[in-house]
Amino acid sequence: MDIALGLLVLVAVVCAGSALGRKLDISVPLLLVLAGVAGSFIPFVPDIELNPEMVLVGLLPPLLYAAALRTSLFDFGSNRRAIGLLSVGYVIFGTIAVGLVVWWLFPEIPLAAAIALGAVVAPPDAVAATAIARKVGMPRRIVTILEGESLVNDATALVCLRSAIAAIAGTVSAAGIAGGFVLAAGGGLVVGLAAAYVLTMLRKRIRNVAINTSTSLMAPFVAYLPAEAIHASGVLAVVVTGLVMGMKAPSMPNGAARLSQRSNWNTVQFLLENSVFLLIGLQVRTIIEGVQDDSLGAGRIWAGCAVILLAVLVLRPVWVFPATYLPRLIPSIRRKDPAPPWQFAAIVSWAGMRGVVTLAAVLVLPADLQHRSVLILAALVVVAGTLTLQGFTLPPLVRWLRVQGPDRREDALNQASLMQLATAAGVERLQELRTDNDPPEVMAMLKRRTQERGLAAWERLGRPTSEAATPSQRYAELRLAMLEAERAKVLELRRGGEYAHEVLSEVLDRLDVEESMLDISLDELDTAGDGGGEGVAQPGGACGHLESAPEREVPEDPFCAECRREGTTPVHLRMCLACGNVACCDSSPGTHATKHYRSTGHPVMRSAEPGEEWRWCYEDDLLG
């Protein structure tokens, strides 16, 4: 009963804290940590001991798998050098450097134990940094690098920790450490690929949605347990499986299973990652009380913990800046991947919050280790200090550095263009499949619904929500009202007992499916209308600049001259219809198309991307 009540309270606090954080626009992880700290000092709240096995086996694999599912394998591969230097190079560097600092501060602690603490505090948290990164709108490449680092760095840190613990027992050698790294990396990779292959084959053949989704929920443990059984890296195996499954999922059959998987993993990830931050806060009182009687003395212990926290904060930029710019001294690397602005390296340096893995891993240290409670307190200080200092200051830092995040209007334009290309492919396939025996009304209905969906994507770019609703928005509103009436009628008939329960349930399920699709449509329309009031004209909208703009052909090989001069890489290209200047979009680092408008006053540009013919008026914020 106590366990059930504890889980109920935990979930309730997580849900309430998450709702409050979103309402007040406060970082949810930080709010839950503070709630946990407050709860740990409330007398009637029982002491909650964080079981390292529960975190490292029960929480970490599903959390990493959920994050890996959402990570693009292609983006991961294109940033593999930066991710590798952070997730492997920085973790090893931080492990050794922090270990030496700890040994210098507390010579009474064995060097191997100090190195173990270095391994514990080296990896940034898999959740905190990217949660804040997405919230403040960092450039996508920074988010990709931070996500990739957080997926792999725990594997490196846990291998370093195992080696340090073996050294404490006096059973390790240089060859053993090297062999452990090879086995961990190679075994984790092989097991992860094998698990992904087996699970993919199974899920392709399972049509039942519940069984298919259950197989997906087993995936992180199917990868983790065999890898750990052969002393490979279970964490790495989970990440590899998640990356491969995430790439394969869209091409697998059974759309209902894909939707179910997405919905269920969103729920699992929400509960686990937010519970993790609450658990961090709940450990505070117990850990502080554990060092009261240590022979090193309270003043020396707290001062040493503060120095360790400072070392953790300083060592990351010491590694990140050289790792960012030194490889680009090689001409071949510099040509393929020009150096990013220094602001990018500064943000990555400061996005190093530690989390629950650090606390769980430090509890793995041998129970009879001298001054173990001091090492646990140091890990807690690093977690609390980085979450507080970096967590609260990272958003203002991003704003102060004026780093350009993804442009929502640019994303909406690209989404509409992509939908248009997909719609054209669908209509082309329809023409191939149609026969003379097909009813004309069926063909007309298919074409109309497909084209309406494509037009709705363009409409989402459009008028602010304060103006008249677009056709698709009005359709969704009216259809939702109709569905409400239809559901009320079915429920009325259910009370009469004239229809079987199974029949009623099937009809209600169909209404729910249609309502969920309309809810998604309205959410997208509302999101598009929150972008500060910029409107995009519907076809036929009045804009003299768009109507009078001359026609210009896009060059065969367009490029942004300013990007080439500055050594930056454009995301998409735009062409000024007044002078023909080609420049990069607002999602690119240089935002040269907008700068061209501001310097020249030329109001209309068009897309210079293949297959795109839309035009944009800067003067009136309208699409043509």
Side-chain angles (χ1 to χ4, degrees), residues 154-175:
D154 287 329
T156 308
L158 291 176
V159 172
C160 292
L161 179 61
R162 287 176 184 171
S163 301
I165 291 175
I168 293 173
T171 58
V172 71
S173 63

Side-chain angles (χ1 to χ4, degrees), residues 521-586:
S521 175
L522 283 177
D523 286 343
E524 291 175 343
L525 288 163
D526 290 340
T527 301
D530 291 338
E534 296 90 346
V536 184
Q538 307 307 310
C543 175
H545 303 102
L546 289 170
E547 292 174 357
S548 61
E551 294 293 334
R552 282 184 179 272
E553 291 295 326
V554 177
E556 289 187 5
D557 187 20
F559 64 91
C560 177
E562 290 296 315
C563 282
R564 287 193 177 181
R565 185 177 63 81
E566 296 174 4
T568 58
T569 304
V571 178
H572 296 286
L573 295 175
R574 311 296 181 228
M575 185 180 74
C576 175
L577 290 181
C579 65
N581 178 71
V582 177
C584 61
C585 65
D586 284 353

Side-chain angles (χ1 to χ4, degrees), residues 119-179:
V120 163
V121 301
D125 183 67
V127 177
T130 51
I132 295 175
R134 293 184 182 279
K135 177 180 174 61
V136 301
M138 292 185 194
R140 285 199 174 93
R141 187 174 189 189
I142 292 181
V143 176
T144 298
I145 290 172
L146 292 176
E147 283 182 337
E149 176 195 10
S150 66
L151 287 175
V152 182
N153 61 8
D154 287 329
T156 308
L158 291 176
V159 172
C160 292
L161 179 61
R162 287 176 184 171
S163 301
I165 291 175
I168 293 173
T171 58
V172 71
S173 63
I177 294 175

Side-chain angles (χ1 to χ4, degrees), residues 199 202-203 206 210-220 222:
L199 289 166
L202 279 175
R203 295 191 62 201
I206 298 174
I211 299 175
N212 200 308
T213 305
S214 300
T215 305
S216 172
L217 294 175
M218 291 191 305
V222 169

Side-chain angles (χ1 to χ4, degrees), residues 52 56 91-92 95-96 112-123 153-169 172 177 181 184 357-366 369 375 379:
L56 298 179
V91 170
I92 295 174
T95 296
I96 297 172
I115 295 292
L117 179 64
V120 163
V121 301
N153 61 8
D154 287 329
T156 308
L158 291 176
V159 172
C160 292
L161 179 61
R162 287 176 184 171
S163 301
I165 291 175
I168 293 173
V172 71
I177 294 175
F181 269 100
V357 175
T358 294
L359 279 183
V362 78
L363 295 175
V364 175
L365 294 174
L369 179 65
L375 298 178

Side-chain angles (χ1 to χ4, degrees), residues 54-71 125-128 130 147 150-151 154 217 219-221 224 235 238-239 242 265-277 279-280 355-357:
M54 179 190 74
V55 175
L56 298 179
V57 179
L59 298 182
L60 187 59
L63 273 175
L64 289 175
Y65 183 79
L69 277 178
R70 295 186 293 104
T71 301
D125 183 67
V127 177
T130 51
E147 283 182 337
S150 66
L151 287 175
D154 287 329
L217 294 175
F221 304 103
Y224 183 87
V235 169
V238 170
V239 170
W265 272 114
N266 285 342
T267 303
V268 169
Q269 186 176 14
F270 167 79
L271 288 174
L272 291 186
E273 70 183 23
N274 288 298
S275 299
V276 155
F277 291 111
L279 288 172
I280 290 174
V356 74
V357 175

